[in-house]
Amino acid sequence: MTSLALTPPRARPLSPALPLVAVVALLALPIGPGGEGGAGPADALSALVVLYCAVRLVRDRSRPLSRTAAVVLGLPVLGLAVAAMGAVSPGAGLTGMGRYLQVFVLVPAAVLLLLRDRSDFRLLAWSFVALAGWQGVIGVHQYVTGTGASYRGEQIRAVGTFGAQDVMGMATVVSLGLVCAVGLALGRTPVRQRAIATVCALALLLPLALSFSRGAWIATAVTCTVQLALAGPRRALKVGAAVAAAAVVLVGGFGVGTAMLQERISSITQVTDAPDQSVTDRYTMWAAAAGMWRDQPLTGVGLKGFPEHRDTHASLALSAGSDTEGAGTAFRKQPLLSPHNMYLLVLAEQGLIGLLALAGGWLALLVCALRRLRRMPGADCGIVACGLLVWQLTDFAYADIGGPSTVLTAVCLGLVAWWGVGSTAPGDR
């Protein structure tokens, strides 16, 4: 009598997406007091991830990017090359080009190539949610204990570990985590996952509100509306009712920052009638960026050129800088070195060539992601990917790249690229 050998099931190998999860996790570390918006540990690790991806491609002789992916992700290189040659100095040109390549080309390509299937995609999406939860807990604690960044004379603004020098950092992280949670909650996945994702999304509403970031609020509201529309009317009605109920309980029931939140929300509609100094500064820098573009419409003033040309194009309404204080840092004037509008920044420094190349790639990604989601309605990965890109494109009207959280933009674009132009996405489990 022969006996059949029982072979144990093979263990699933470690996901190659784990280095990407590590990049996200590093953003949980506190930023040193007085830290500027330069490269941080997450940026350094993202460079190593790109190198790791390149080594794997050479070692495994893997098929590189598809033609569509190569064209879409490679479009920004044209404008960057032209703008780098027109920079105020070779060093500024190389630094600026390296940053743009990291955020919009290299890291997104590495994410696209490292993700194997939807399980890896979900792993990375949940890491966004976990990071948002961590930063959100710290932000709420800062508000409750009065240890946050200064806002209207009180140190109550939730900024997480990013400090007063990067007040948009926590708002960005929490917004992206909320977008991922909403996408995971709306997808056709097991009930348990949807329930956990829904709870996470509702919990993240509080720290997002306490960030007092109008741009993040607008981008998140627009994105969640789009995600609800993509998920279908029935699920949209259920989730919309839950979010509305949570907002009523948080703001109305507990009185969470009621007076200041109402004042901040109402200020969104007063940006033309009675703008505060921050809005005036933003309008002034937008006008300065438009003036730079009119001087050099095709190629712009060169990478890293906005600070050099700002004063010659800005009016006297521009203040000396924004006041930053709290969250462990002393009072200081933070210089205004960018227009806080990604489209105008690219237009000013790279001209029409750069804007068409960069924004053209984003638009192509959005079209490809929506087309794939249309063929696979209800796919959680598709709803997450489309939501992340919609959030970025909306937020870019109020912000630009800069600060430690910028590396998340690169990872987001990689997730969108994997879903939209990745050759293996539609058939993966």
Side-chain angles (χ1 to χ4, degrees):
M1 183 176 180
T2 60
S3 60
L4 297 177
L6 297 179
T7 58
R10 296 180 61 185
R12 180 181 171 88
L14 291 176
S15 170
L18 289 178
L20 300 171
V21 174
V23 171
V24 177
L26 281 179
L27 291 176
L29 299 177
I31 305 299
E36 300 295 337
D43 294 287
L45 182 57
S46 72
L48 294 177
V49 169
V50 172
L51 180 61
Y52 164 69
C53 183
V55 171
R56 287 184 76 246
L57 289 177
V58 174
R59 184 195 64 189
D60 301 338
R61 298 182 181 179
S62 303
R63 185 166 59 89
L65 299 173
S66 66
R67 182 178 302 177
T68 302
V71 171
V72 171
L73 293 178
L75 273 176
V77 178
L78 173 62
L80 289 173
V82 175
M85 291 188 292
V88 293
S89 68
L94 289 175
T95 302
M97 188 169 185
R99 184 62 159 167
Y100 274 93
L101 287 177
Q102 173 209 9
V103 177
F104 298 115
V105 180
L106 298 177
V107 174
V111 174
L112 189 157
L113 292 169
L114 289 176
L115 296 185
R116 299 172 302 184
D117 50 32
R118 295 187 203 176
S119 296
D120 289 346
F121 186 106
R122 294 187 187 106
L123 174 64
L124 198 50
W126 277 111
S127 72
F128 273 64
V129 179
L131 175 65
W134 168 252
Q135 294 289 354
V137 167
I138 296 176
V140 172
H141 179 266
Q142 290 170 334
Y143 175 84
V144 172
T145 59
T147 56
S150 178
Y151 178 78
R152 301 293 175 89
E154 299 182 53
Q155 295 188 0
I156 58 172
R157 188 169 190 174
V159 291
T161 63
F162 294 95
Q165 68 275 5
D166 185 14
V167 294
M168 287 298 298
M170 192 210 76
T172 298
V173 168
V174 171
S175 297
L176 294 176
L178 196 153
V179 168
C180 288
V182 169
L184 293 167
L186 291 173
R188 301 185 185 279
T189 52
V191 176
R192 182 181 179 183
Q193 174 177 296
R194 297 203 304 269
I196 296 174
T198 301
V199 171
C200 292
L202 295 176
L204 290 174
L205 289 174
L206 178 57
L208 178 61
L210 298 180
S211 71
F212 294 101
S213 173
R214 291 170 293 197
W217 292 348
I218 294 172
T220 304
V222 170
T223 301
C224 291
T225 302
V226 171
Q227 288 180 301
L228 291 173
L230 293 174
R234 181 176 299 180
R235 295 196 177 186
L237 184 61
K238 292 180 180 180
V239 177
V243 171
V248 170
V249 171
L250 289 174
V251 179
F254 294 120
V256 176
T258 304
M260 287 191 175
L261 283 177
Q262 289 179 348
E263 181 183 355
R264 190 67 165 172
I265 293 172
S266 63
S267 69
I268 295 175
T269 61
Q270 298 171 353
V271 292
T272 56
D273 299 331
D276 55 31
Q277 185 58 49
S278 65
V279 175
T280 300
D281 286 339
R282 185 162 299 189
Y283 282 166
T284 304
M285 290 188 294
W286 287 4
M292 297 177 201
W293 169 66
R294 283 191 293 268
D295 288 347
Q296 299 287 339
L298 287 180
T299 60
V301 297
L303 293 179
K304 297 285 187 178
F306 182 87
E308 297 292 332
H309 295 80
R310 183 198 63 184
D311 292 339
T312 59
H313 292 85
S315 69
L316 296 178
L318 184 66
S319 65
S322 59
D323 298 340
T324 61
E325 185 181 12
T329 59
F331 174 84
R332 59 166 293 188
K333 280 282 186 181
Q334 188 165 346
L336 305 173
L337 302 178
S338 73
H340 297 292
N341 181 302
M342 190 66 199
Y343 305 107
L344 287 176
L345 177 63
V346 174
L347 195 63
E349 294 187 345
Q350 303 179 41
L352 280 175
I353 295 176
L355 182 63
L356 291 177
L358 200 58
W362 299 336
L363 181 59
L365 274 181
L366 182 60
V367 171
C368 291
L370 289 172
R371 287 179 60 187
R372 183 156 286 175
L373 183 59
R374 184 178 179 182
R375 294 197 298 268
M376 303 182 65
D380 58 335
C381 297
I383 299 175
V384 169
C386 292
L388 290 174
L389 186 53
V390 170
W391 191 92
Q392 290 292 347
L393 296 182
T394 306
D395 185 67
F396 278 162
Y398 307 95
D400 47 49
I401 59 174
S405 62
T406 298
V407 71
L408 286 184
T409 299
V411 178
C412 287
L413 291 176
L415 288 171
V416 178
W418 182 87
W419 174 259
V421 296
S423 58
T424 61
D428 285 331
R429 296 176 56 188

